[in-house]
Amino acid sequence: MALRIAHLSFSASGGAGTVATRLAATQRALGHDAEVLSSITGTLHTTPLAKPRHTLAAGLDQYVVKAPDFHAPVSLYRNRLSDLASSDVADADVIHLHWPHGLIDPDELTTIAGNRMVVWTLHDMAALTGGCHYSLGCEGFTSGCEGCPAVRAPWKKAITRSQQRTAEALAAVPHLRLASPSQWLATEASRSQSVKGHDVHVIPNPLPPNLTEPMAQKDAKTQLGIPQDHTVFMVSASNLDDPVKAARVALEAFGEASSGGLRATLLVVGQGGPAQTIPNVRPLGYLRGDQMTTALSASDYLVVPSLAENQPLAISEAQAMGVSLIARDATGLPEHTVYDDDAKLFSHPSELRDLFDTLAKASRSASSRQKLMAVARERFDPATAATRYLELYSQ
């Protein structure tokens, strides 16, 4: 029987919105009526006037509520906003939440859900905590978020109440299933005061339904003007100045390594980033479609120095093009190295500098690229992810 599935995410872009869009498209191809409902198509940063109330709330959370020395985002006032009416999902058989913050007030979730199946894919730690999207080592979410270090003093009790509200809202939904793209986040969820007691199903995020094939690496290097004997590294983030993404760590480590005459190029993909010039660093800006295919085809390694990640699409998409991973040994990142024979982990920036130096002296084989590409495309297959969610809906 065909299901009517409503995927809900505040934005249709970003990691969560992209996953929602890919799942909906694949589920439609499988014969179901799936759609994505969102408040905006971009971000509040790029289109602040699209949702003025949400922009104001996000600004309060960032510049008034959040402690200045805490790097991850916090959503307190934004969580109290709602942009969705029950009538918007009246015909849905299944409600699938992705990033509902600002789209659904937790207190309204029970009313909107009714007696229907609700699946919430956890794309970060926001459902587990009282407000922060990554706890960055804080264990407070396991015991009530008291004395929260992520916010200034006047809002610490509000964070505790916020986690309690989430716990009560989820407990009141009669048919709730939780999913996580990573085992790391599923384990963290089992320790959280707000979602503890709910089973969390691990389902990897899907690749694009129609993923292209990579170019020959030598052709991609030629197109980008990269010497053929260079090992090519890439660092990528939509916002290179995001402190959680920590792109500057990769840039500084590469700069230190390149002072010794490194035969390597670092491609920098995304908006922002430091203004200083570093030898053999190529800022490419924001890339789409064929441009990103060319950059990935030229690359040997994707460097991910993030302080916290769940299961980033950038990694699975790079690996599906044969690009291996260098990542910080933290949160969900090590899970991407299990099936990647050439992957490397680091804990300290000095270790990353040494990896740049070592890996630039060796070349990856074409067979290793092909093997990784095949494994990643099977592991993150969109039809497999969509089918696993369909099975979850019926439980």
Side-chain angles (χ1 to χ4, degrees):
M1 182 182 73
L3 292 174
R4 291 167 297 187
I5 307 159
H7 291 271
L8 308 183
S9 187
F10 175 71
S11 172
S13 66
T18 299
V19 170
T21 300
R22 291 176 183 176
L23 283 174
T26 308
Q27 288 168 343
R28 286 195 297 271
L30 294 173
H32 299 275
D33 182 5
E35 64 174 340
V36 178
L37 299 179
S38 59
S39 293
I40 58 175
T41 56
T43 69
L44 291 177
H45 179 72
T46 56
T47 55
L49 298 181
K51 291 289 176 180
R53 287 191 310 137
H54 293 76
T55 300
L56 177 60
L60 288 171
D61 287 337
Q62 174 68 18
Y63 299 109
V64 179
V65 175
K66 189 170 78 71
D69 58 350
F70 190 79
H71 293 314
V74 169
S75 292
L76 182 63
Y77 287 109
R78 185 160 50 169
N79 274 353
R80 297 175 183 174
L81 298 178
S82 184
D83 235 12
L84 187 81
S86 296
S87 58
D88 294 331
V89 292
D91 295 333
D93 300 309
V94 176
I95 296 174
H96 191 149
L97 307 178
H98 290 270
W99 210 86
H101 317 289
L103 184 63
I104 302 175
D105 185 320
D107 292 341
E108 299 177 6
L109 182 56
T110 307
T111 301
I112 290 172
N115 200 40
R116 293 173 290 188
M117 173 60 70
V118 176
V119 170
W120 189 343
T121 296
L122 306 173
H123 289 282
D124 57 23
M125 294 183 70
L128 283 57
T129 73
C132 68
H133 290 263
Y134 284 106
S135 68
L136 301 182
C138 172
E139 295 280 306
F141 69 95
T142 67
S143 56
C145 283
E146 296 182 359
C148 175
V151 300
R152 301 174 195 259
W155 288 275
K156 291 185 183 293
K157 290 184 178 179
I159 290 292
T160 301
R161 291 194 298 270
S162 177
Q163 192 191 37
Q164 292 171 345
R165 287 175 66 225
T166 299
E168 291 166 1
L170 296 182
V173 178
H175 306 292
L176 175 67
R177 301 289 183 271
L178 299 179
S180 165
S182 71
Q183 183 58 57
W184 163 74
L185 190 57
T187 300
E188 295 296 273
S190 71
R191 304 167 60 227
S192 167
Q193 285 288 88
S194 53
V195 302
K196 186 165 59 178
H198 296 281
D199 290 336
V200 182
H201 303 261
V202 178
I203 303 176
N205 287 330
L207 291 165
N210 299 305
L211 186 64
T212 59
E213 295 293 317
M215 301 169 57
Q217 188 178 30
K218 64 180 182 62
D219 294 339
K221 283 183 173 180
T222 298
Q223 190 167 320
L224 292 173
I226 298 171
Q228 293 295 331
D229 64 341
H230 273 212
T231 299
V232 182
F233 302 93
M234 175 191 286
V235 62
S236 175
S238 58
N239 176 11
L240 292 162
D241 296 319
D242 183 342
V244 175
K245 299 299 182 184
R248 64 171 182 79
V249 170
L251 289 163
E252 290 171 1
F254 186 84
E256 292 175 11
S258 64
S259 63
L262 204 65
R263 299 296 296 173
T265 295
L266 177 64
L267 303 179
V268 182
V269 178
Q271 301 293 343
Q276 73 266 31
T277 300
I278 301 172
N280 292 334
V281 170
R282 294 278 302 278
L284 299 179
Y286 185 74
L287 302 182
R288 291 181 180 274
D290 292 344
Q291 293 176 318
M292 192 63 175
T293 297
T294 301
L296 286 171
S297 298
S299 299
D300 294 289
Y301 295 94
L302 177 70
V303 184
V304 182
S306 303
L307 303 178
E309 293 282 7
N310 186 7
Q311 190 240 294
L313 296 177
I315 295 179
S316 55
E317 291 169 9
Q319 290 176 322
M321 301 290 277
V323 181
S324 192
L325 175 66
I326 301 173
R328 191 186 294 269
D329 189 2
T331 58
L333 292 170
E335 293 175 40
H336 284 277
T337 67
V338 175
Y339 52 89
D340 184 344
D341 294 341
D342 294 333
K344 306 293 181 184
L345 292 171
F346 70 92
S347 298
H348 190 272
S350 64
E351 297 174 16
L352 177 57
R353 179 197 62 214
D354 294 341
L355 282 173
F356 280 134
D357 184 57
T358 301
L359 295 174
K361 297 172 183 175
S363 59
R364 292 186 62 221
S365 67
S367 61
S368 115
R369 293 178 70 94
Q370 288 294 325
K371 179 183 176 183
L372 176 58
M373 187 167 68
V375 170
R377 290 181 182 228
E378 179 179 2
R379 185 181 184 92
F380 304 107
D381 175 57
T384 300
T387 299
R388 290 188 63 187
Y389 273 113
L390 289 170
E391 292 169 352
L392 188 57
Y393 300 157
S394 64
Q395 289 184 10

